[in-house]
Amino acid sequence: MSTLPHLLSVNVGMPADVAWQGRTVHTGIFKYPVDGPVKARRLNLEGDGQGDRNGHGGEIRAVLVYQRESYDFWRRTLSRDDLEYGQFGENFTVDGLADDEVHIGDRFRIGAAEFEVTQPRVTCFRVGMRLGVPDMPALLVARHRPGFYLRVLTEGSVQAGDEIVRTGLGRHRMTVAAIGALLYLPDRDTDQLRAAADIPALSPGWRDSFRDLLDPAPAVPEVSSGWPGFRPLRVSRVVPESPAVLSIYLTTPDDSPLPSPEPGQYLTVRPSGAGVRSYSLSGPPSEREWRISVKRELSGAVSPVMHALTTGNVLEVAAPRGDFVLTAGEEPVVLLSAGIGVTPVLAMLHALAAAGSLREIWWVHTSRSPAFLAEVGQLLTGLDRVHSHYTNPGVDGRLSAEILAELNLPVTASAYVCGPDEFMAAMRTALVRIGLSADHIHSELFGARPAINPGVTETEHPAPHPPPGPVGTGRAVTFTRSGLTVPWSDEHRTLLEFAEACDVPTQWSCRSGVCHLCQTPVLAGTVDYQPDPLEPPAQGTALICCSQPKTDLILDI
C-alpha cells in the first residue's frame, strides 16, 4: 500500500431544507460517499452544493477536507461507532494531511486536479446539528481538529484511492491548526499574527481578521466610560417641550462629575414601579447634567411613570451606550429625523454647535410636534454652513423620497437618521438613490437588532412574548430592546435558546462559544457558562449561546 496520503472517500450532497429545533434550516452539511470519478470544478465538486455561501463554498472554499485520523479521534472521544465518512460535512475524507501538518498555502495534486489550502473550516452550528452534538464547533477548535478548505487551481477528475502529492509549500509554513487557534483562542502571539496576515493563499476574510487583531480600527464605543449595571441619578429639573414631550435632566446625587457621553448615545433607565426603557440623550455634551426627552405613549408602561417624575426623584440609570454616534471628520453632515427621533440628532447638533464646527450641516426634520423647534433654530443660527428643512406632516404632507431628492444633499455626506422604523428604511433607500454611500448612512435602532440566523428559512417574525409552556421559576431575564421580562426556565439550555423561545431576535452562528457573534451587552446581572467559551467575551457582555443566568439579568437585546 502506498505510504503517500490518499483519498479515502469523495462525498457530495445538494442543499436541502432540514427540520431542526422546530425550525427549518437550508443546508448542504449532509454529504454522502459516491463511487467513481467526480469532476473538481472551480466552485465545487460536481453534484455538490452549499446552502449558505457566506461561510461555505465558492472559489475560496470549494472543497472541504477532513481526515480519517480525526474520525478515529472523535469515535473514541464521543464514544460513537456510527460516524461515517461525509458526516463532518467534508467533500474529501483523506488518510493523512493532519491539521497540525498541513500549511495554509500548501498545494496538492489529487487525481487530475490540483488544489491549494485556503483556510480552516468555518466553525458554524451545522456540524453540531449534523452530529447531534451542539458543542461540536467549539470542540473542533479546542482540540485543534477543524479540517480545512481547498481552492481548485486546476480542474480535473478525482476519485477514492487517488494518491495525494504535495506540489508546493505555503508561505511561513503555518499549519491549519495553528491558524485556527490564532483566530479563535486567546493569548495570541503578535509575530504569528503578522505572519498569518502575510500569507497570500489565506482567504481574504481571515487575513482581514488578523489585520484587525494587529491594528484594530478605532471603534465607536458601545459603552462610554461609566459604571457597570445601574446607579442612581437624581432628577434635577423637568421641562415640558410640548404637550406630549417632557425633558428630564439628571445629575449625580452628590453633584460629582458625570462621564462625558458621545453625541447620539442613549441611557437605559429603570424607574421604580415600571419596566426598563432606553431614551436618547438629547442635550449638549456635559459632565454636570444630562438630558433625556420622553414622549408620552398612551399605551406605554414606562413613559407615564417618567412623565410623573419631579425634581428630586431618583432613577436607576445604566451608563451611556450605543454606536449611533456622531463621528469626527470634515465631510458634510445630514441630520435627518422624524417625531421624537429628533433627540439623538439634536444631541449631535449641540455637539457641532459647541465645537463651532465648520462642516456643512443639513438639518432635516418632520414632526407634528413643535418640540425643540426654537432650540434648533438658535443652534443653527450660531453655525456658518447650515441648511434646514422642516415639514409638518399634518400641513405639508409626509417627507418623501421626492422631497429629499429636491434638497440637493451632498453625496459625500454622512447621514444620521432616526425615527420610526418605516421612516428610517424609506430614508435609507432614498439617500442611497440620491447617491450617498450606504456605509455613510447611520440609523438608530432602539428596538431589536436585525436577526442573524444563518441558514434558517423562516420569514415570520412574531412579536416577543413569554415562552410557551409552564411559567419558569428561575431568575428574571429582561430583554430591554424587546420590552420583555420573563422568569428563566431550566427547560432551556442557554440564554440564546430562551430568547428564541420568546421570539426575541437573535444573532448567532456557532452556538457554542467560538465566533462571538452572539455577544450581548449586559446592563445588570451575571451569567454562568456551560460550556466555557474558548475566549472570554468583552467586559460588560455575555455570550448568550453558551450561558445561563446566575442572577436576575438585564440584556440589551
Side-chain angles (χ1 to χ4, degrees):
M1 187 176 202
S2 172
T3 58
L4 286 173
H6 61 282
L7 189 55
L8 294 174
S9 179
V10 178
N11 316 297
V12 300
M14 294 302 293
D17 289 340
V18 178
W20 171 76
Q21 295 188 359
R23 298 181 175 192
T24 300
V25 177
H26 187 67
T27 177
I29 190 67
F30 290 83
K31 310 292 186 190
Y32 299 97
V34 293
D35 296 326
V38 175
K39 188 70 173 289
R41 298 198 179 277
R42 184 176 62 86
L43 297 181
N44 50 27
L45 303 182
E46 282 188 342
D48 189 55
Q50 295 81 24
D52 174 17
R53 288 295 182 87
N54 290 323
H56 310 275
E59 185 172 353
I60 298 296
R61 298 176 291 262
V63 177
L64 179 60
V65 177
Y66 212 52
Q67 308 88 354
R68 177 187 61 76
E69 293 83 355
S70 287
Y71 267 92
D72 292 341
F73 173 84
W74 293 118
R75 287 178 181 128
R76 294 190 304 270
T77 301
L78 302 175
S79 299
R80 296 274 293 266
D81 59 6
D82 61 340
L83 299 182
E84 304 293 339
Y85 294 157
Q87 206 158 347
F88 280 80
E90 80 278 8
N91 301 112
F92 290 169
T93 315
V94 299
D95 186 21
L97 304 188
D99 289 333
D100 59 359
E101 295 176 354
V102 171
H103 314 101
I104 300 297
D106 282 1
R107 295 186 174 190
F108 296 97
R109 185 174 67 252
I110 308 174
E114 188 173 11
F115 304 87
E116 182 178 56
V117 180
T118 58
Q119 68 172 71
R121 172 204 300 267
V122 175
T123 52
C124 77
F125 76 103
R126 295 173 186 85
V127 66
M129 178 186 76
R130 176 75 170 90
L131 294 168
V133 182
D135 299 337
M136 203 67 216
L139 292 172
L140 291 173
V141 176
R143 301 301 180 90
H144 305 286
R145 294 179 178 272
F148 55 87
Y149 284 104
L150 298 173
R151 180 205 323 259
V152 179
L153 298 177
T154 303
E155 295 184 342
S157 293
V158 298
Q159 62 181 331
D162 283 343
E163 290 185 336
I164 302 174
V165 180
R166 193 192 316 251
T167 59
L169 280 171
R171 182 184 292 183
H172 303 309
R173 300 191 183 185
M174 297 188 70
T175 67
V176 169
I179 288 288
L182 194 61
L183 183 63
Y184 290 123
L185 298 180
D187 303 321
R188 299 174 180 89
D189 181 85
T190 301
D191 290 339
Q192 292 289 296
L193 287 172
R194 290 196 183 95
D198 187 49
I199 300 175
L202 184 62
S203 66
W206 281 63
R207 274 187 288 148
D208 288 344
S209 295
F210 289 132
R211 292 188 185 110
D212 289 343
L213 288 168
L214 281 166
D215 186 22
V220 172
E222 171 63 24
V223 183
S224 297
S225 58
W227 54 86
F230 288 80
R231 64 169 291 185
L233 293 184
R234 180 174 58 86
V235 176
S236 57
R237 51 189 172 126
V238 294
V239 177
E241 305 289 355
S242 75
V245 177
L246 183 74
S247 282
I248 300 164
Y249 292 77
L250 301 169
T251 62
T252 56
D254 59 359
D255 292 322
S256 58
L258 291 161
S260 184
E262 299 287 332
Q265 289 191 307
Y266 61 86
L267 299 181
T268 301
V269 302
R270 184 168 57 180
S272 177
V276 179
R277 288 292 184 273
S278 297
Y279 298 103
S280 291
L281 288 154
S282 60
S286 172
E287 297 181 355
R288 185 183 64 83
E289 187 178 57
W290 290 341
R291 182 180 77 176
I292 57 175
S293 302
V294 180
K295 180 183 178 182
R296 182 192 292 274
E297 302 289 350
L298 296 179
S299 60
V302 178
S303 67
V305 176
M306 298 293 288
H307 271 249
L309 292 172
T310 59
T311 300
N313 287 158
V314 173
L315 279 177
E316 292 289 316
V317 181
R321 68 176 59 239
D323 54 11
F324 178 68
V325 302
L326 179 69
T327 56
E330 297 181 357
E331 76 278 6
V333 177
V334 175
L335 303 176
L336 176 56
S337 57
I340 197 60
V342 69
T343 54
V345 295
L346 178 56
M348 295 178 188
L349 183 61
H350 269 289
L352 291 166
S357 177
L358 299 179
R359 298 169 74 172
E360 185 177 8
I361 300 166
W362 288 78
W363 175 269
V364 183
H365 180 55
T366 179
S367 177
R368 289 183 170 86
S369 169
F372 307 113
L373 292 184
E375 181 177 328
V376 167
Q378 186 174 2
L379 291 171
L380 295 177
T381 301
L383 292 163
D384 291 333
R385 304 175 65 196
V386 295
H387 315 264
S388 65
H389 181 84
Y390 167 74
T391 60
N392 183 328
V395 177
D396 310 303
R398 300 178 65 181
L399 181 63
S400 64
E402 291 72 23
I403 293 174
L404 207 62
E406 293 172 359
L407 297 180
N408 294 319
L409 301 175
V411 297
T412 57
S414 288
Y416 299 86
V417 187
C418 190
D421 291 346
E422 183 180 335
F423 169 82
M424 290 192 293
M427 292 300 101
R428 170 175 283 274
T429 300
L431 289 169
V432 169
R433 190 177 301 157
I434 289 170
L436 272 71
S437 167
D439 293 340
H440 291 171
I441 302 171
H442 314 279
S443 54
E444 178 58 291
L445 189 63
F446 281 129
R449 296 181 178 93
I452 300 177
N453 307 155
V456 175
T457 61
E458 280 82 356
T459 57
E460 293 185 2
H461 302 289
H465 55 81
V471 177
T473 59
R475 301 290 188 175
V477 178
T478 297
F479 303 105
T480 57
R481 289 177 178 264
S482 302
L484 183 66
T485 298
V486 284
W488 168 259
S489 169
D490 287 332
E491 291 185 6
H492 304 279
R493 195 174 66 94
T494 65
L495 282 162
L496 173 58
E497 292 183 3
F498 189 53
E500 290 173 334
C502 299
D503 280 313
V504 170
T506 54
Q507 299 184 345
W508 48 264
S509 179
C510 74
R511 298 180 73 93
S512 59
V514 180
C515 71
H516 285 220
L517 186 60
C518 72
Q519 184 168 286
T520 300
V522 177
L523 301 185
T526 56
V527 301
D528 280 326
Y529 283 103
Q530 182 60 41
D532 288 331
L534 297 185
E535 182 174 18
Q539 185 175 3
T541 69
L543 300 182
I544 63 172
C545 75
C546 55
S547 61
Q548 307 80 32
K550 185 176 181 179
T551 66
D552 288 351
L553 197 61
I554 300 179
L555 298 173
D556 191 22
I557 183 178

